[in-house]
Amino acid sequence: LRTRLLFLSPKDLYTAPESCEGRCEEPYSREDTCHCHPECHRYRNCCRDYNWHCHPKGFSRSQDAITDQELLHISEQLYQVDHNKAQPTDVTINPQHRAAPEETGDQEDHSPQPLYKHVNEELFSKPTYSSFIKLLDNYQRVTGREEEVTAEELREQDTFLKEVMETELMKKLFVFLHQKNRYGSEQEFVADLKEMWFGLYSRRDGEQDSSGFEHVFSGEVKKGKVSGFHNWIRFYLLEKRGVVNYFSHNFDGPWDTYPDVLGLQFSWDGFYKEVGSAFIGSSPEFEFGLYTLCFIARPGRACHLSLGGHRLSIQTYPWTKSTYGHGRKFIATAYVISS
């Protein structure tokens, strides 16, 4: 008899879209390139390694697969425990012009007023907010420029991870991933969070110029356009300084409280973002946790969630040109699908 490992090996940590590793009995989705549900043989669309992993004698355990229903359930749980989110009186936005699909690329400022009318900056004194904000100025925004990471910046990364892991939200996410045999301990989870989000890789010219955190939360400029930049706190702080100019929005989510979702058009020092989706009023740990969940469960595919009874989807992509820890992938991007 083969002895089954309790936890997935590093290279099996993330659900690979072209493999059945960790996906046995996963429900059918037309977005998948191949399938691992029990009926896939009948429809002749199984992944090539289906028998190896999902046959009764295979290695993978079907109970370790993260199902669509489980994603809906855990996302609602995380939504309920986002205790640090903004309250309705904390943030007031002024969305103004709603852009039609053909308008999002016209680079015209259709909204004369700023997006944010009011933000209660006392929010930013909360530990997860304050440690998050300290990270935002650690990056060269233009790709192709080597990032120089100082000892202080490494400490800021550790402080942020420490603060988010003290929240009920991130503890609940860890318990879920632990039950799914993705991590054996909280220490292992935190170490992987640091690599997947803060580990450096090259987007241009071979320089170690980017990371998942920089791209998603701080924003980059690549080939004359804004790349990434999906965070409401970053947007507010730069708009307040006058270096971000809000143009319009193409999507406003159905939520009547925070967190909400907005798809928006803006310029950053003259560099344009055609559609920059963002949660509005969420805590840093909420975004960090949801993006992490989707990156682990559905990398490279739409990750379907539920927040307050409303459905939404998050898209993540792994960085495929380099890896860490015996084949683990860095985060290339993560964002809310705003359409």
Side-chain angles (χ1 to χ4, degrees):
L1 293 176
R2 290 191 176 103
T3 301
R4 217 176 242 167
L5 293 178
L6 180 59
F7 298 104
L8 300 179
S9 65
K11 68 182 179 65
D12 299 335
L13 177 64
Y14 307 115
T15 306
E18 71 283 356
S19 170
C20 283
E21 290 180 282
R23 292 177 56 200
C24 298
E25 299 187 22
E26 185 179 87
Y28 171 81
S29 172
R30 63 183 180 181
E31 297 163 346
D32 293 339
T33 56
C34 61
H35 304 276
C36 306
H37 58 87
E39 295 293 302
C40 68
H41 273 305
R42 176 183 172 189
Y43 293 103
R44 299 183 180 180
N45 56 13
C46 297
C47 297
R48 288 182 297 176
D49 59 2
Y50 173 81
N51 286 334
W52 175 254
H53 292 291
C54 302
H55 190 271
K57 295 181 181 179
F59 285 118
S60 290
R61 303 192 306 171
S62 60
Q63 60 264 41
D64 291 340
I66 299 174
T67 68
D68 287 350
Q69 194 60 40
E70 286 171 329
L71 284 173
L72 297 176
H73 182 66
I74 185 63
S75 56
E76 282 288 1
Q77 288 187 316
L78 299 181
Y79 179 79
Q80 293 299 323
V81 298
D82 185 16
H83 303 307
N84 287 325
K85 67 184 178 184
Q87 299 303 308
T89 54
D90 289 328
V91 178
T92 306
I93 61 174
N94 182 19
Q96 300 166 80
H97 182 73
R98 182 157 189 164
E102 63 272 14
E103 290 182 296
T104 59
D106 66 11
Q107 302 191 35
E108 294 290 331
D109 185 355
H110 298 286
S111 302
Q113 301 299 316
L115 174 61
Y116 287 93
K117 293 179 67 174
H118 165 72
V119 172
N120 175 15
E121 294 193 10
E122 289 183 8
L123 279 173
F124 301 159
S125 65
K126 294 185 177 184
T128 58
Y129 284 82
S130 61
S131 58
F132 173 82
I133 290 169
K134 287 179 181 178
L135 294 167
L136 296 175
D137 63 356
N138 290 350
Y139 301 101
Q140 298 268 4
R141 70 178 180 183
V142 178
T143 59
R145 295 183 182 177
E146 182 90 12
E147 294 289 351
E148 296 182 8
V149 183
T150 66
E152 181 181 0
E153 289 171 353
L154 288 173
R155 286 193 295 271
E156 288 174 352
Q157 294 173 12
D158 290 336
T159 298
F160 173 71
L161 292 171
K162 174 179 174 293
E163 296 296 349
V164 297
M165 287 307 302
E166 289 183 357
T167 65
E168 184 180 356
L169 188 151
M170 288 297 290
K171 288 186 180 297
K172 189 173 289 290
L173 175 60
F174 166 69
V175 168
F176 174 76
L177 295 173
H178 176 70
Q179 290 171 343
K180 289 296 179 179
N181 287 327
R182 294 314 200 264
Y183 298 98
S185 66
E186 187 172 307
Q187 182 180 9
E188 181 188 345
F189 179 43
V190 173
D192 196 46
L193 287 173
K194 186 169 184 177
E195 289 289 349
M196 75 168 77
W197 279 105
F198 295 104
L200 293 175
Y201 50 83
S202 176
R203 287 188 189 267
R204 185 178 176 188
D205 300 333
E207 302 289 348
Q208 297 292 92
D209 62 347
S210 187
S211 68
F213 186 93
E214 176 186 7
H215 181 86
V216 173
F217 295 109
S218 183
E220 298 180 296
V221 172
K222 183 178 181 181
K223 297 181 179 179
K225 295 182 179 180
V226 176
S227 182
F229 198 143
H230 299 287
N231 179 253
W232 76 273
I233 300 168
R234 174 70 160 165
F235 190 101
Y236 164 73
L237 293 172
L238 291 182
E239 185 180 60
K240 182 181 176 182
R241 286 168 44 193
V243 296
V244 160
N245 182 21
Y246 170 72
F247 283 12
S248 57
H249 71 285
N250 64 295
F251 175 86
D252 192 353
W255 296 271
D256 55 9
T257 185
Y258 295 119
D260 198 355
V261 176
L262 202 67
L264 59 161
Q265 293 69 52
F266 62 92
S267 69
W268 179 16
D269 273 344
F271 300 104
Y272 188 63
K273 181 73 173 181
E274 185 170 343
V275 178
S277 62
F279 286 106
I280 307 294
S282 61
S283 68
E285 61 266 28
F286 179 80
E287 292 179 74
F288 194 70
L290 281 194
Y291 291 151
T292 297
L293 169 66
C294 286
F295 181 66
I296 292 173
R298 300 288 187 270
R301 294 175 285 164
C303 176
H304 305 301
L305 308 177
S306 179
L307 303 180
H310 297 287
R311 298 293 180 93
L312 86 163
S313 299
I314 287 174
Q315 179 72 52
T316 67
Y317 288 105
W319 186 253
T320 58
K321 298 179 182 179
S322 56
T323 61
Y324 68 91
H326 306 288
R328 297 188 188 191
K329 302 290 199 308
F330 299 104
I331 291 176
T333 192
Y335 57 89
V336 185
I337 298 175
S338 58
S339 59

